[in-house]
Amino acid sequence: LLAGLPAPQLVEEPVAAATYYGLAESRKEQTIFVYDLGGGTFDVTLLQASPKGLYVLATDGSIDVGGKKIDETIMQVVVEDFRCAHGTDPRKEPSAEIQLRRFAEKVKIQLGKPGRGQVAQAILLCGKPYEFLMTRSQFEKLVAPLVEETIRVCNRCLAGASLGWSAVDKVLLAGGSTLIPFVQQRVRKEADKPGDQVYTQQPHQAVAYGAAVIAGRA
């Protein structure tokens, strides 16, 4: 303010996501559930949308679930396989651990693409050749416990508001990790909603785009 700049407006991420999906100015009362699986954490928010605006009914989350955790799960598979092949742990070399994390993230992204059945790639790790292979079914089995944890958090959030999935009108997905088909399928199954009631357009950019829309209106 002393510098003559306008005061910043803070926007909650679920509100930004709802704005991006066009639900911030609902013409009727709606209950919206925001499922945000980001890089480091998982957050859920239950919103009430009405012509007067958006109101938070309940929030919950977990710091033990996120894209980083998925990467680390893949890393562990590579480490165990590499140790069996070469008798050494690649994480003991700092540069190799960085390489391993980047590789795991790449695998996650590749197997998160619709129609991708497997990832097979040769890499040089700790100066030693390593052949990696992971199928989609193996990947989904790895991430299933993490996804189930998000579902438990979702149900806990709904219970905190004394509501069930049947009371939710729209489910909004946000965060890059919701691009994984298995995540979307599990959320759809739990919510038991038709396709047009689960919003999945550009979920990894929903919060940023929504914040930009709000800023443009200011």
Side-chain angles (χ1 to χ4, degrees):
L1 296 177
L2 293 176
L5 298 174
Q9 179 183 358
L10 299 180
V11 180
E12 294 176 303
E13 290 187 4
V15 173
T19 300
Y20 166 68
Y21 283 119
L23 299 172
E25 298 177 356
S26 177
R27 294 182 179 180
K28 62 178 181 178
E29 296 258 343
Q30 293 188 84
T31 302
I32 301 170
F33 194 86
V34 181
Y35 177 106
D36 187 354
L37 185 56
T41 60
F42 172 65
D43 300 287
V44 290
T45 303
L46 193 62
L47 299 169
Q48 186 70 33
S50 72
K52 296 181 180 180
L54 286 169
Y55 305 92
V56 176
L57 299 178
T59 62
D60 210 320
S62 172
I63 61 173
D64 296 323
V65 185
K68 182 180 178 182
K69 190 70 172 182
I70 295 174
D71 296 344
E72 291 172 350
T73 302
I74 297 172
M75 286 173 65
Q76 187 60 38
V77 171
V78 176
V79 167
E80 292 175 0
D81 193 28
F82 188 87
R83 186 188 290 120
C84 289
H86 298 287
T88 184
D89 188 335
R91 294 173 298 185
K92 292 181 179 180
E93 294 187 18
S95 60
E97 184 172 8
I98 294 173
Q99 180 189 7
L100 183 58
R101 185 171 294 278
R102 290 175 178 171
F103 178 73
E105 183 180 15
K106 182 179 179 181
V107 170
K108 175 188 67 178
I109 293 172
Q110 291 297 316
L111 288 174
K113 293 180 179 179
R116 188 66 182 263
Q118 66 178 34
V119 169
Q121 186 173 339
I123 62 172
L124 193 65
L125 198 59
C126 298
K128 299 177 181 179
Y130 171 68
E131 296 282 344
F132 176 81
L133 172 66
M134 179 175 284
T135 65
R136 176 181 290 277
S137 61
Q138 289 173 326
F139 172 68
E140 292 180 350
K141 185 177 180 179
L142 278 177
V143 303
L146 300 177
V147 177
E148 288 307 311
E149 175 60 21
T150 71
I151 296 301
R152 282 192 287 271
V153 173
C154 289
N155 290 324
R156 189 172 66 203
C157 180
L158 287 166
S162 299
L163 295 175
W165 285 106
S166 61
V168 175
D169 298 299
K170 298 285 191 305
V171 179
L172 314 185
L173 300 189
S177 295
T178 61
L179 288 169
I180 299 173
F182 179 73
V183 174
Q184 296 186 11
Q185 293 163 10
R186 186 64 184 89
V187 173
R188 289 180 187 278
K189 180 180 179 181
E190 187 70 19
D192 192 23
K193 304 293 179 188
D196 61 349
Q197 290 182 11
V198 181
Y199 289 62
T200 60
Q201 295 84 3
Q202 300 291 328
H204 57 311
Q205 298 172 327
V207 172
Y209 285 171
V213 170
I214 294 172
R217 293 173 180 172

